[in-house]
Amino acid sequence: MKAQLRPGAREAIFAQLIEAGRAEQVARRLTDAIILGVLTPGERLPSEQELARRFGVALITVREGLVILRDAGLVETRRGRGGGSFVIKADAPHGTLLQARLRGLAQVELSDLAVYFSTIAEGCAERAALRASAADAERLHAWLLHADFSTTAGARTNAGGFYLELAVLSQSARLVREQIRLQAEFGPLLLLGLGDPDTRAQVTGLNGRIALAVSDGDGQAARTLVADQVRLLGEWLLTMKARIERGGHLDDAIVDDA
Amino acid sequence: MTTPSSTTPETARPAGPPAGLTTAEDCAIEVGEIFARVFRTLDDWRERIAAAVPDRADLDILVESLVVPALLASAGSPAADGPPATESLLIGAGFIAAPQYVNGRDAHFAWWLGPLASNPLLGNTSGASRLDLATRVHTEYLRDFRELEWYAVPEATNQTHVTGPYVDQLCTCDYIITLTMPVRLGERMIGVVGADVYVKRLEQVLLPHFLALPGPVVLVNQSGRVVISTEPTLPAGDILPNRRHPADGFDLLPCPGTPFLLATRVAIATPAF
């Protein structure tokens, strides 16, 4: 096939980079971390220079993002030595903010997010099953045996860790990087359902079977089981979204870490 | 780990990478020598660190002065004249102190990374950057780094250890091989010195030699994990043997002083499809 048949592909290379909304992206990333308890009250954020470097954006963009957070009452900035931006201890539970976040995403965005995350995670699991050595599989089982999934906080940390381990076992640096990026961007939101005891039990119940599929070298089984897991998380999010849109509330116990 | 055998006249090669080594045995010896050079560097660091005062700030300055020049030398000279220096293989290096060794605190990481391109955590860096574990939220699930192979094995065996190849999710987020050596004061292990070898740079060094051989060769670790290969059906990351490649299809040549083996085809391959 000749390149000329696809003029769009060439034009796309030179399309404007997404600059607009970068400050909002910075603010959203930090807001998610704060309302989901990844960043805790009183914690000092990295310096503006450090944030700019880590996010790969201009200093001015970070400053704009921090203004959004200050206006939302999530951080305060102190001057002088030992100064910086600190996470404010919330008077009200962050549930309202979380509800706002869920309202801000369309159903079609939420379900698409689950599809994308699932596709990456399924690929990691299938490759892991095809490529894990016996020792690798044994380590995965041993880790899982001691990982705590009984609390909301433990389940969220370790569910993210489990997906990352599967990516590592795939031996693909790109899949590991994508898994880290996806978890930074959407992890807190996607793993929200682990605050619900029933969903948590169902999701974590599949972990052992996934590890078994990896040690059996059964790529298809690993893929299917991971897809089941992410489907449960995605459906929980859509259910919550619908409940909030009808005027209901998120259960605070689901939001706050046990 | 045993010391690799010394260079014999037969293994002396002409200057310049394109010439290549002529036999698989020569290639296996070359692999051994490349790793022996990194081990010698680690051994030197280990002695200096063991002799230093266990003060956090002083140790950090010492380790930085040892490892950063090696990491920056890495970035400079990938091609140019002559074979790349040993240092050019390294993407990370440092000392990880055992808990309680440094100022009575928890385990202490004095670890630096060489220049990185589009790292998901650090972006693009042109100089050396220090590993900051506090920024590695995504690795919190790793409850205790002492359980990780590159620390646990040298601790248990008191031997130098080679981990990988593996995707390192802690620092580089890339495919690497980690070399670690225990640092001891008397009976006690006070930590490990280590260096991360970038698989893609190791490939740049070894591939010309491998390609010069008459048949395909595959460098694998003890688990059969492929590091570098001139057999297209066995890319890096795959395990040998596997469904397409039974174990009896390959001869295995040990690379002296390393856990690596060079696999060569036993017989003429029958087409897969």
Side-chain angles (χ1 to χ4, degrees):
Chain A
M1 189 189 291
K2 285 183 178 177
Q4 288 91 314
L5 292 177
R6 303 179 55 231
R10 282 186 63 80
E11 293 311 309
I13 302 170
F14 307 108
Q16 179 114 44
L17 291 172
I18 300 165
E19 191 54 52
R22 283 202 155 193
E24 286 76 9
Q25 286 183 55
V26 168
R28 171 162 297 172
R29 194 79 79 77
L30 293 170
T31 301
D32 277 357
I34 293 168
I35 63 184
L36 294 162
V38 180
L39 291 170
T40 52
E43 189 171 341
R44 181 165 69 176
L45 299 182
S47 70
E48 292 175 352
Q49 287 81 1
E50 177 68 9
L51 287 172
R53 198 173 61 78
R54 300 259 293 275
F55 286 130
V57 299
L59 194 57
I60 182 92
T61 309
V62 165
R63 290 194 176 132
E64 286 169 14
L66 288 174
V67 167
I68 297 172
L69 290 182
R70 270 199 296 278
D71 291 347
L74 290 171
V75 301
E76 59 178 346
T77 302
R78 297 176 209 155
R79 303 207 172 277
R81 272 183 79 84
S85 293
F86 294 82
V87 179
I88 289 179
K89 184 157 176 55
D91 297 328
H94 288 312
T96 47
L97 281 165
L98 194 56
Q99 278 175 221
R101 177 82 164 97
L102 270 179
R103 293 193 86 135
L105 285 166
Q107 289 193 32
V108 65
E109 289 176 299
L110 281 175
S111 57
D112 189 41
L113 164 62
V115 166
Y116 185 58
F117 186 89
S118 189
T119 303
I120 297 290
E122 287 168 41
C124 291
E126 180 178 4
R127 290 279 156 181
L130 297 179
R131 285 181 141 181
S133 67
D136 289 335
E138 213 168 284
R139 269 195 294 274
L140 186 66
H141 282 288
W143 175 80
L144 208 48
L145 195 64
H146 293 106
D148 174 26
F149 283 87
S150 65
T151 65
T152 301
R156 285 190 187 137
T157 301
N158 289 324
F162 187 55
Y163 289 133
L164 187 53
E165 277 298 304
L166 291 173
V168 167
L169 291 180
S170 79
Q171 310 293 316
S172 163
R174 278 185 191 270
L175 283 177
V176 168
R177 287 164 179 234
E178 185 59 7
Q179 186 59 241
I180 290 172
R181 196 192 67 75
L182 271 177
Q183 285 193 28
E185 197 168 353
F186 299 116
L189 194 66
L190 194 77
L191 300 176
L192 204 55
L194 294 175
D196 170 53
D198 287 344
T199 307
R200 182 161 74 231
Q202 290 185 66
V203 168
T204 58
L206 292 167
N207 287 340
R209 292 173 61 194
I210 293 167
L212 269 180
V214 168
S215 40
D216 289 348
D218 189 344
Q220 281 310 313
R223 179 180 272 282
T224 307
L225 290 163
V226 166
D228 287 347
Q229 261 188 335
V230 181
R231 188 173 40 73
L232 285 165
L233 291 166
E235 286 170 0
W236 187 89
L237 267 185
L238 286 173
T239 307
M240 278 308 120
K241 161 91 176 158
R243 186 195 287 183
I244 289 164
E245 295 294 343
R246 286 196 195 98
H249 292 278
L250 273 181
D251 186 350
D252 282 344
I254 289 166
V255 178
D256 296 323
D257 290 337
Chain B
M1 184 132 310
T2 55
T3 324
S5 57
S6 59
T7 312
T8 55
E10 292 86 332
T11 64
R13 64 179 187 279
L21 300 166
T22 48
T23 67
E25 288 76 11
D26 287 343
C27 287
I29 288 167
E30 176 67 11
V31 171
E33 287 180 353
I34 286 169
F35 281 91
R37 287 196 286 272
V38 184
F39 284 134
R40 279 197 291 275
T41 305
L42 286 181
D43 205 31
D44 173 52
W45 294 348
R46 148 158 90 171
E47 283 176 25
R48 289 161 191 256
I49 290 166
V53 179
D55 171 81
R56 178 180 282 239
D58 287 356
L59 252 185
D60 287 353
I61 291 167
L62 171 68
V63 175
E64 186 174 11
S65 74
L66 294 173
V67 306
V68 167
L71 293 172
L72 293 183
S74 300
S77 55
D81 37 4
T86 309
E87 293 81 32
S88 73
L89 299 171
L90 306 187
I91 186 65
F95 172 62
I96 291 146
Q100 317 304 321
Y101 178 61
V102 184
N103 301 1
R105 304 279 287 271
D106 281 346
H108 177 65
F109 280 67
W111 193 270
W112 276 263
L113 302 164
L116 299 164
S118 56
N119 182 276
L121 305 159
L122 293 166
N124 295 306
T125 59
S126 54
S129 45
R130 184 165 179 184
L131 169 64
D132 178 6
L133 276 185
T135 64
R136 308 296 151 123
V137 179
H138 68 283
T139 55
E140 267 175 12
Y141 73 95
L142 298 169
R143 290 174 297 269
D144 188 348
F145 73 89
R146 285 173 297 172
E147 294 170 4
L148 300 179
E149 183 181 341
W150 47 261
Y151 190 94
V153 176
E155 185 179 42
T157 63
N158 193 29
Q159 299 286 313
T160 296
H161 185 69
V162 178
T163 304
Y166 67 107
V167 183
D168 157 43
Q169 80 272 42
L170 200 59
C171 309
T172 57
C173 300
D174 220 320
Y175 215 44
I176 63 167
I177 295 165
T178 299
L179 282 60
T180 40
M181 200 177 254
V183 184
R184 299 183 70 84
L185 267 187
E187 289 297 291
R188 177 174 167 225
M189 188 177 98
I190 60 168
V192 297
V193 285
D196 289 338
V197 169
Y198 221 168
V199 169
K200 71 179 173 194
R201 295 216 193 107
L202 184 67
E203 179 188 303
Q204 285 171 350
V205 174
L206 288 172
L207 196 59
H209 301 308
F210 287 8
L211 288 171
L213 297 174
V217 288
V218 186
L219 184 69
V220 297
N221 72 4
Q222 274 170 324
S223 315
R225 177 86 62 207
V226 177
V227 189
I228 298 163
S229 164
T230 52
E231 169 53 61
T233 59
L234 273 171
D238 270 10
I239 295 257
L240 178 73
N242 58 34
R243 283 169 203 170
R244 286 178 78 180
H245 297 282
D248 60 8
F250 288 86
D251 280 325
L252 295 171
L253 276 173
C255 302
T258 76
F260 297 108
L261 303 153
L262 200 60
T264 54
R265 274 277 168 80
V266 167
I268 311 279
T270 48
F273 297 104

